Amino acid sequence: MTTAEQEVVSLASELIAIDTSSTGDPTVLGTERAAAEYVAAKLAEVGYETTYVESGARGRGNVVARLPGADPSRGALLVHGHLDVVPADPAEWSVHPFSGEVKDGYVWGRGAVDMKGMVAMALAVARQFKRDGVVPPRDLVFAFVADEEAGGFYGARWLVDHRPELFEGVTEAISEVGGFSVTFDGGTRAYLIETAEKGVMWLRLKANGSAGHGSMLHTDNAVAKLAAAVTRLGSHRFPLILTDPVRQFLEGVAELTGIPFDENDPEAAVARLGNLSRMIGATLRDTANVTMFEAGYKANVVPSTARATVDARILPGREKAFEAELAEILGPGIESDWDSLPPVQTSFDGRLVDAMALAIGAEDPGARILPYMLSAGTDAKSFERLGIRHFGFAPLRLPPELDFTALFHGVDERVPVAALEFGTRVLDRFLRSC
């Protein structure tokens, strides 16, 4: 009989080959249905009763299934993953981004790390549990959802608002961007568990001005006004704030490496983290990056409006302060509105954390787990509305030389075959003892 470890690579490859690119445009037909139907069929094949739900937007497929546990009085654990991916240009890749090709010890393609690899691990373990008649300690709810890359408004957020009964009794959850290994100088290895993530604010900025011929004098140029405002925003450094999750992470790194951590200079500690410093450094302060700018329609016409989009990420507790600081930076004459998703934070303790440590330690003796804050966001922001405590735990043992964080939304995204197999073993152990 095929085991979860034996089938996880083929599941990941087949999922990647289903193009579920999300443009973020709500007027475009959803792409997740085919992947959701694939997952539902794989679960039904081994005996699960599945619920397939499409939100108000056609094609935004979501699948939920529950495996009863030994103790119904305990809160259930939610294992969730998103099926959508960001777009990819095949011309930039070494392999086709939707091939799911397996070569050189890796599974290649868009979604390999974000996050069809974890979806495949959860699906493989769910199938094996059902085949083997495993009764976990508590109910397990498996959810495979749409639209995470655009905020989850047609996926997790929609399910929370319209189908909360699917998550009845759930008290804790695990999902992406945690549980991956980092190897420090000297070979010491730690697995980072996400216990917090920054809030998200997608800003839409607009400046108005006087339209006219490009050859004339203009003192009310919308493009110039908005360009100056986003330049001020792009060069602004928000205040450094050392939150508890980041402090705990840096203290843990200091203990593992023997290099003291000075709370008065956390940036020095972050600078020693190599490639990881890009992500951890972004959790020391709020950030605001201009991602799109739109203005004009002809070379000799000064347009009356200019628009820009800004991706802002905000530390827990900083929402009101960020808004006030933003208004001051942009200055008068700049209109702004936004969609926002809140920060998420929990403590690094309890039976679930103990189960993570034991599962990791059984497969990688001597390794440590450390809490950290994610600079990005996940569907945890939606599920937290149901009072669900969330951790990022998608276990992967990675080669020390692999720049893992650069693979998220990057060209030639890929995940090691051995890491998927390792993660499946860890996830199996964890869900049997959680």
Side-chain angles (χ1 to χ4, degrees):
M1 182 179 293
T2 303
T3 66
E5 184 180 352
Q6 290 169 333
E7 73 172 355
V8 67
V9 171
S10 62
L11 291 173
S13 177
E14 290 168 9
L15 282 162
I16 290 167
I18 304 171
D19 185 348
T20 54
S21 298
S22 170
T23 64
D25 183 347
T27 65
V28 175
L29 186 68
T31 60
E32 296 94 340
R33 177 187 293 169
E37 290 175 341
Y38 170 91
V39 169
K42 289 292 184 182
L43 290 171
E45 183 179 75
V46 294
Y48 280 95
E49 292 185 9
T50 64
T51 300
Y52 176 87
V53 181
E54 285 196 15
S55 66
R58 289 187 301 130
R60 315 314 293 264
N62 303 273
V63 178
V64 182
R66 185 181 289 256
L67 182 64
D71 186 356
S73 68
R74 287 190 61 194
L77 176 69
L78 172 64
V79 182
H80 64 95
H82 64 86
L83 299 170
D84 61 320
V85 299
V86 296
D89 181 359
E92 297 179 332
W93 285 57
S94 301
V95 303
H96 195 284
F98 299 105
S99 65
E101 184 173 346
V102 181
K103 72 167 189 175
D104 301 330
Y106 286 81
V107 182
W108 297 66
R110 178 60 84 218
V113 300
D114 187 16
M115 65 168 295
K116 289 181 176 178
M118 173 57 176
V119 168
M121 290 193 293
L123 182 57
V125 173
R127 282 166 54 84
Q128 181 162 326
F129 277 19
K130 198 69 170 179
R131 285 194 301 261
D132 295 349
V134 173
V135 179
R138 60 202 292 195
D139 282 11
L140 300 178
V141 177
F142 296 95
F144 305 91
V145 301
D147 195 43
E148 188 273 347
E149 295 292 358
F153 296 101
Y154 298 107
R157 177 63 60 96
W158 191 92
L159 292 171
V160 165
D161 289 344
H162 296 90
R163 298 297 304 273
E165 75 280 2
L166 294 173
F167 309 101
E168 183 178 356
V170 173
T171 57
E172 295 175 303
I174 62 166
S175 189
E176 61 177 328
V177 207
F180 59 92
S181 70
V182 176
T183 304
F184 299 104
D185 290 343
T188 303
R189 191 160 40 251
Y191 291 81
L192 308 193
I193 311 299
E194 186 224 298
T195 59
E197 58 188 50
K198 296 173 79 175
V200 179
M201 182 182 285
W202 286 307
L203 289 156
R204 294 174 293 273
L205 306 180
K206 179 182 177 183
N208 297 309
S210 301
H213 200 289
S215 66
M216 300 182 185
L217 296 176
H218 287 274
T219 58
D220 187 31
N221 188 313
V223 179
K225 282 194 288 188
L226 187 58
V230 297
T231 298
R232 289 193 298 272
L233 183 60
S235 60
H236 179 75
R237 283 176 68 80
F238 290 90
L240 189 151
I241 299 174
L242 188 59
T243 58
D244 287 342
V246 178
R247 177 185 288 105
Q248 288 178 319
F249 169 73
L250 294 176
E251 287 174 346
V253 172
E255 182 181 336
L256 289 173
T257 62
I259 301 174
F261 161 53
D262 181 359
E263 282 201 14
N264 296 315
D265 190 11
E267 289 181 302
V270 170
R272 293 192 291 267
L273 297 175
N275 294 328
L276 192 62
S277 64
R278 293 195 303 272
M279 181 169 67
I280 302 300
T283 62
L284 291 176
R285 51 171 45 90
D286 302 332
T287 59
N289 289 306
V290 182
T291 55
M292 292 189 285
F293 198 103
E294 179 185 2
Y297 53 89
K298 199 171 186 299
N300 61 350
V301 177
V302 174
S304 60
T305 61
R307 294 179 173 83
T309 301
V310 174
D311 185 336
R313 306 294 169 132
I314 304 154
L315 292 171
R318 274 278 302 172
E319 295 92 329
K320 293 299 182 184
F322 177 87
E323 290 178 22
E325 206 165 333
L326 175 72
E328 183 177 347
I329 296 164
L330 294 177
I334 305 298
E335 300 176 16
S336 63
D337 67 281
W338 55 78
D339 296 317
S340 62
L341 297 168
V344 175
Q345 186 170 338
T346 190
S347 55
F348 188 59
D349 55 21
R351 293 172 64 178
L352 204 65
V353 172
D354 293 341
M356 293 175 192
L358 288 171
I360 290 286
E363 294 294 334
D364 190 359
R368 284 273 305 276
I369 62 172
L370 295 176
Y372 90 106
M373 178 186 290
L374 177 65
S375 60
T378 73
D379 280 329
K381 298 181 185 303
S382 295
F383 289 117
E384 189 188 42
R385 299 174 73 194
L386 295 175
I388 297 172
R389 184 188 188 204
H390 188 272
F391 295 91
F393 186 64
L396 296 170
R397 179 171 172 172
L398 301 169
E401 67 276 7
L402 181 66
D403 187 357
F404 183 63
T405 59
L407 298 176
F408 286 83
H409 298 189
V411 173
D412 284 345
E413 184 180 349
R414 61 199 182 276
V415 63
V417 167
L420 285 177
E421 294 169 344
F422 170 89
T424 303
R425 296 194 302 271
V426 171
L427 195 61
D428 180 291
R429 288 180 181 273
F430 169 73
L431 294 178
R432 289 175 189 263
S433 63
C434 63

